[in-house]
């Protein structure tokens, strides 16, 4: 299957700081990337969908000014958690989909964020 | 509303066979996916069904009946490493994935 990388895999930061997470599709062009959040023992929660070159579409209840998404190229999307707070501590996972709408989403390995 | 139902938890014995069911009600249908997620890790793709019938891939098989809004994932010759959550997801008419809550599969020796 296709390969999606995510960096960093783990980050600890102080409350009030910003954290940037990168998601890259390594062997295919990802026209669409998805950002998910997963709290312990809970389901995946879609935060936003981003298409290359356009603004991200955020799910209801997700603050677009707090979770900044940039999808600058067909292989890179970034999620910036601004002014992070302890309640933002979670497992953030990106996934990428190729050119076809029905193509499979492949997931990155995830980023574990801990805000102190 | 859109809904994906799958059992919360199942237990099976090493070497046995287990079937994880998934029923769905979505606005449109553009395929059904099964993913495996080990604790603390991201999901990995297992299978994709868009036509009715059985798709076999090694020890894992996935079945789809669109008329019944039903799918199952069949795992044969269970191994301890198969202990994980199994996520069912349906792509709706807007090509968005609707996720089930996942089935936690516990394998006992």
């Amino acid at each position: 299957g296709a390969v999606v990388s995510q960096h960093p895999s783990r980050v600890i930061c102080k409350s009030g700081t910003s954290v940037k997470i990168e998601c890259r599709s390594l062997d295919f062009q990802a026209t669409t990337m998805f950002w998910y959040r997963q709290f312990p023992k809970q389901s995946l929660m879609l935060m936003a969908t981003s298409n290359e070159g356009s603004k991200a579409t955020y799910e209801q209840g997700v603050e677009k000014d707090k979770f900044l998404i940039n999808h600058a190229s067909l292989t890179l999307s970034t999620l910036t958690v601004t002014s992070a707070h302890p309640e933002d501590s979670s497992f953030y996972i990106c996934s990428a989909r190729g050119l076809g709408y029905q193509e499979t989403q492949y997931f990155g390995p995830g980023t574990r964020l801990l805000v102190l | 509303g859109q809904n994906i139902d799958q059992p919360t938890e199942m237990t099976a014995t090493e070497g046995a066979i287990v079937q994880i069911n998934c029923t769905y009600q979505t606005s449109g249908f553009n395929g059904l996916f099964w993913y495996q997620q080990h604790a603390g890790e991201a999901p990995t793709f297992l299978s994709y069904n868009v036509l009715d019938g059985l798709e076999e891939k090694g020890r894992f098989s996935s079945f789809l009946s669109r008329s019944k809004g039903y799918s199952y994932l069949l795992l044969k010759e269970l191994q301890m490493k198969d202990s994980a959550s199994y996520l069912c997801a349906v792509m709706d008419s807007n090509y968005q994935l609707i996720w089930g809550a996942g089935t936690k599969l516990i394998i006992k020796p």
Side-chain angles (χ1 to χ4, degrees), chain B residues 94-106:
Chain B
N94 293 320
Y95 300 100
Q96 299 298 315
L97 273 185
I98 311 301
W99 291 89
T103 298
K104 182 178 180 181
L105 178 62
I106 300 168

Side-chain angles (χ1 to χ4, degrees), chain A residues 24-107:
Chain A
R24 292 181 186 272
S25 57
L26 298 184
D27 54 358
F28 69 104
Q29 292 184 325
T31 50
T32 307
M33 286 186 171
F34 305 86
W35 287 95
Y36 292 85
R37 181 167 53 181
Q38 188 175 36
F39 293 104
K41 299 184 179 181
Q42 293 190 21
S43 305
L44 287 172
M45 287 174 44
L46 180 65
M47 298 175 67
T49 302
S50 75
N51 292 295
E52 185 264 339
S54 61
K55 290 184 178 180
T57 302
Y58 289 81
E59 295 299 303
Q60 197 169 11
V62 178
E63 300 174 58
K64 62 180 181 180
D65 294 329
K66 181 170 179 63
F67 299 98
L68 302 178
I69 292 172
N70 184 293
H71 192 161
S73 76
L74 285 172
T75 60
L76 173 65
S77 176
T78 60
L79 167 69
T80 302
V81 183
T82 61
S83 186
H85 290 286
E87 57 265 30
D88 298 324
S89 298
S90 187
F91 190 40
Y92 292 85
I93 315 171
C94 75
S95 70
R97 186 176 69 196
L99 296 175
Y101 282 115
Q102 287 180 273
E103 288 197 31
T104 300
Q105 283 187 32
Y106 291 96
F107 285 85

